[in-house]
Amino acid sequence: MDIFSIISLLGGIALFLYGMSLMGDQLEKLSGGKLEKILEKMTDKTYKGVLLGAVVTAVIQSSSAVTVMVVGFVNSGIMQLSRAIGVIMGANIGTTVTGWILSLTQINGESLIIGLLKPSSFAPVLAIISVFVLMFSKNDKRKNVGGIIMGFSVLMMGMTLMSDSMSGLADDENFTSLMLTFSNPVVGIIAGTLLAAVVQSSSASIGILQALALSGGISFSAAIPIILGQNIGSCVPVLISSVGTGKNAKRSAFIYLYFNIIGVVVTGALFYGVEYFVNFAFMDSSISPVQIAILNTAFNVFSTVILLPFTKQFETLAVKTIRGEKEDKKKQPLIDDRLLTSPAFAVEKCREVTIKMADMVEQTALCALSIVKNYTDEKAKLIKDNEEKSDKYEDLLETYLIKISSMDLSDIDSKNIFILHHAIENFEQISDYSEDILTARKAMNKKKVNLSDQAKYELSVMIAAATKIVSVTSEAFKLNDINLARKVQPLEDVIDKLKKELKLRHMQRIDNGECTVEQGLPYLDIVSAIEHIADHCCDLALSMIEIKSGDYNVHSYVSDVKENDEDFIEKLDSYLEKYSLN
């Protein structure tokens, strides 16, 4: 090979890897994380795990990516180790689909139809179509489809460029000698392992092998051990991803390694054992891309079939490798960085954790509102503990969202991230003001403040309104319901009015000598904290309406509460009935 052939080869490999990555990313965007949700929920049976692992990998085009995701599932406690085994086995079958697609390069014939089926013919056409789709389509899903088509065309162009650059290798004595070296099963397996480890994908390494096969210079005897070794090499990125994870996550990565090593040993021993006695005549013949695809699929299906009954033994072996007692669920992360391999799914998992935060903050706020009337040490402890937890939730989720935001996201995911940012910030603030209510209530206990019956009634109305707004806001976020979110601002207007009127009436009591300034401060702090909680509920609700409906004028909405209602306080009972607060 001259320098220009080497440059063409490297350029072809670059296009091939980029096309595969682009196609996988766009397929993932189009699925919107649905494939991962299926993996998460439908692995109760091992055979189901195998089928689902095969299907998801066939779509994503990478067994390593799927297995890395499984490691993340196990590390987060989403998936049990025993259920991960089937998915890992299925991933090895699904990854062979790429080889069948790439075998299209071997199509030969003079007819128009056959000519159109050649990658050299349809790849440029697909590229032109995808460019038009990407440039002129405003629909998110259509753009994803255009990206898939573009990735596929770039992949096939890279394959064609690789095969063209290596077309003369069959007559190269140095290349022939190298291939003879790989005919040694041990050397060939090592070479295949290194190739897959370097390109970080067994699918990509199979594609490179198929491109070499088009030159006619690779025999069955050289290709078979390389194919076996590539399956071992695909474990490298998975093992790297397991660094820093919990015990079960590491065990799932080792199960993937053991499955491939044992599969290679068993299959290789059977094949070469039979070949020793039978002496297969085809071993010195040139292998084609289609035959590589057949062998790769046959090996992975055979390995899965013979090793599937031994899933418990694989789990036992992994447990003995990574020793230790069962993991403490409290130490498992709420969300795992390995799930970032699927941005859409990572956003969904982040939302699930935010919903947990919403439940906790709702409990905190309602407890704080109830403590005004009925103080107990148990309630006080719950509020303090939950406030500390909400700070941790905020740090964890905001850091995770920043990581997701740096990735290539669809418009839908970008909007969801915006809502999550608002939700996390507002829920944390609600938790802070709930603690402020606790602080003010403690001050009332310390100063032995006794509220008048009228003050108690007025405060109970505001607390009832706040209880309602917190519940409605939390429910609207959890259900992603903008119709429910639209009910928040009228409630917030009621609470704003209440705050003004309650402060005014309390100042009048101070002026009349019914209450001292020192005694009145905790009361005013409670009123102010409740109003701030309502503000943050409203901010979250409005952000949901803005993003979900595209209505960016929601802040101009006018509620049923009139600005100049002089009889407001006298109508509190009617407001209670109107907003279902009593």
Side-chain angles (χ1 to χ4, degrees):
M1 292 180 72
D2 57 20
I3 185 65
F4 297 107
S5 296
I6 293 173
I7 292 173
S8 294
L9 172 61
L10 295 175
I13 292 173
L15 286 175
F16 180 86
L17 293 174
Y18 174 71
M20 178 171 286
S21 175
L22 178 62
M23 188 168 63
D25 289 345
Q26 295 302 315
L27 281 164
E28 171 56 38
K29 277 188 183 180
L30 189 64
S31 74
K34 292 177 183 176
L35 294 171
E36 291 76 8
K37 292 175 194 173
I38 293 172
L39 267 185
E40 176 192 350
K41 296 177 181 178
M42 297 181 63
T43 54
D44 54 324
K45 301 290 184 183
T46 304
Y47 74 88
K48 283 186 182 179
V50 172
L51 292 174
L52 290 169
V55 171
V56 174
T57 307
V59 172
I60 295 178
Q61 297 288 300
S62 173
S63 59
S64 299
V66 171
T67 309
V68 166
M69 193 175 299
V70 169
V71 170
F73 286 163
V74 174
N75 193 49
S76 298
I78 295 170
M79 183 183 289
Q80 295 177 3
L81 180 62
S82 57
R83 293 187 177 186
I85 298 172
V87 178
I88 290 169
M89 291 181 172
N92 272 17
I93 296 175
T95 195
T96 64
V97 171
T98 309
W100 288 99
I101 296 172
L102 297 176
S103 63
L104 292 171
T105 52
Q106 199 185 7
I107 293 176
N108 290 309
E110 300 299 328
S111 70
L112 177 62
I113 295 175
I114 292 177
L116 290 174
L117 290 175
K118 292 181 180 180
S120 56
S121 301
F122 69 71
V125 176
L126 290 178
I128 293 170
I129 293 171
S130 65
V131 167
F132 274 97
V133 173
L134 291 170
M135 287 181 65
F136 300 109
S137 177
K138 295 182 180 179
N139 183 282
D140 220 21
K141 289 188 176 180
R142 288 176 187 169
K143 284 188 175 183
N144 290 335
V145 171
I148 293 168
I149 297 172
M150 175 61 80
F152 182 70
S153 62
V154 171
L155 182 150
M156 298 310 293
M157 286 179 183
M159 184 72 176
T160 302
L161 189 58
M162 279 193 293
S163 60
D164 289 345
S165 68
M166 294 182 284
S167 58
L169 287 178
D171 301 322
D172 191 317
E173 293 183 1
N174 293 326
F175 179 75
T176 304
S177 299
L178 181 63
M179 288 301 104
L180 287 173
T181 304
F182 292 154
S183 297
N184 181 305
V186 176
V187 176
I189 289 172
I190 293 172
T193 300
L194 292 174
L195 176 62
V198 169
V199 299
Q200 298 280 291
S201 169
S202 59
S203 297
S205 59
I206 285 292
I208 294 170
L209 184 64
Q210 287 177 307
L212 281 168
L214 284 169
S215 69
I218 298 183
S219 63
F220 277 87
S221 61
I224 289 172
I226 292 175
I227 292 171
L228 296 177
Q230 285 171 337
N231 285 276
I232 298 175
S234 66
C235 300
V236 172
V238 180
L239 291 170
I240 293 172
S241 78
S242 70
V243 174
T245 61
K247 291 184 178 66
N248 279 337
K250 288 186 175 72
R251 287 164 184 163
S252 63
F254 273 94
I255 286 171
Y256 186 48
L257 176 65
Y258 292 148
F259 172 74
N260 282 294
I261 289 176
I262 293 172
V264 167
V265 171
V266 172
T267 305
L270 287 172
F271 178 80
Y272 286 106
V274 174
E275 198 268 338
Y276 180 79
F277 293 102
V278 177
N279 193 18
F280 297 128
F282 62 81
M283 291 294 282
D284 293 326
S285 303
S286 295
I287 194 169
S288 69
V290 174
Q291 289 165 333
I292 288 174
I294 292 171
L295 285 174
N296 189 36
T297 302
F299 161 71
N300 284 289
V301 171
F302 179 73
S303 296
T304 300
V305 170
I306 63 171
L307 296 178
L308 190 59
F310 301 99
T311 54
K312 290 184 179 179
Q313 285 75 15
F314 274 108
E315 186 176 358
T316 301
L317 181 59
V319 170
K320 287 184 176 179
T321 304
I322 307 296
R323 295 181 179 275
E325 298 297 322
K326 290 184 178 180
E327 287 186 292
D328 185 355
K329 289 186 178 181
K330 293 181 180 179
K331 294 182 179 180
Q332 291 177 331
L334 285 168
I335 198 162
D336 197 287
D337 283 356
R338 287 149 196 83
L339 303 183
L340 292 171
T341 54
S342 170
F345 186 69
V347 172
E348 181 60 28
K349 299 312 294 182
C350 198
R351 174 174 166 76
E352 288 180 15
V353 178
T354 307
I355 287 174
K356 291 181 181 179
M357 180 185 185
D359 284 331
M360 186 193 69
V361 170
E362 181 183 7
Q363 179 194 39
T364 307
L366 297 182
C367 186
L369 293 169
S370 70
I371 209 171
V372 175
K373 182 178 180 181
N374 181 25
Y375 180 93
T376 66
D377 290 336
E378 291 76 12
K379 288 182 179 180
K381 185 178 186 305
L382 176 68
I383 294 167
K384 280 296 267 187
D385 291 346
N386 282 0
E387 199 286 320
E388 291 177 4
K389 289 178 184 176
S390 71
D391 289 340
K392 292 178 181 178
Y393 267 110
E394 183 189 31
D395 290 342
L396 172 71
L397 290 168
E398 287 291 358
T399 301
Y400 199 77
L401 285 175
I402 290 171
K403 292 178 182 177
I404 301 176
S405 299
S406 65
M407 305 176 77
D408 185 20
L409 301 170
S410 65
D411 287 344
I412 293 175
D413 289 333
S414 296
K415 290 177 180 179
N416 286 334
I417 285 176
F418 180 86
I419 292 174
L420 287 174
H421 273 302
H422 272 267
I424 294 161
E425 179 183 356
N426 284 297
F427 282 133
E428 197 279 328
Q429 287 293 315
I430 290 170
S431 182
D432 284 345
Y433 285 114
S434 297
E435 189 178 30
D436 287 348
I437 293 174
L438 171 63
T439 302
R441 185 64 178 84
K442 284 182 176 180
M444 289 178 69
N445 289 348
K446 186 177 181 180
K447 295 176 182 179
K448 297 180 180 180
V449 176
N450 292 313
L451 300 177
S452 66
D453 291 340
Q454 181 62 28
K456 287 178 181 178
Y457 169 71
E458 293 168 0
L459 192 55
S460 70
V461 173
M462 192 175 192
I463 288 171
T467 300
K468 183 69 174 179
I469 198 172
V470 168
S471 299
V472 170
T473 304
S474 177
E475 194 71 9
F477 172 74
K478 289 186 284 187
L479 297 177
N480 210 12
D481 187 343
I482 62 171
N483 291 323
L484 199 55
R486 291 183 190 278
K487 297 180 180 180
V488 174
Q489 190 178 24
L491 286 167
E492 194 267 339
D493 285 342
V494 169
I495 293 170
D496 279 347
K497 297 288 186 181
L498 284 169
K499 175 193 173 184
K500 292 177 183 177
E501 189 64 31
L502 264 61
K503 280 194 171 184
L504 177 61
R505 285 176 170 255
H506 196 65
M507 293 305 296
Q508 289 174 350
R509 284 192 288 271
I510 292 174
D511 290 341
N512 295 334
E514 299 173 24
C515 178
T516 66
V517 173
E518 186 180 9
Q519 287 177 326
L521 287 176
Y523 174 88
L524 294 174
D525 287 342
I526 290 173
V527 171
S528 180
I530 291 174
E531 191 267 338
H532 283 304
I533 287 174
D535 286 344
H536 286 288
C537 287
C538 189
D539 184 67
L540 172 54
L542 292 178
S543 68
M544 285 180 61
I545 298 168
E546 285 180 351
I547 297 302
K548 289 292 180 182
S549 67
D551 184 355
Y552 295 96
N553 296 312
V554 290
H555 288 277
S556 65
Y557 289 169
V558 178
S559 73
D560 295 333
V561 181
K562 299 295 185 287
E563 195 66 43
N564 299 316
D565 192 344
E566 296 177 358
D567 300 320
F568 182 78
I569 236 7
E570 284 76 5
K571 294 182 178 179
L572 287 177
D573 287 328
S574 66
Y575 279 107
L576 280 172
E577 183 178 353
K578 181 176 181 180
Y579 292 103
S580 303
L581 300 177
N582 51 6

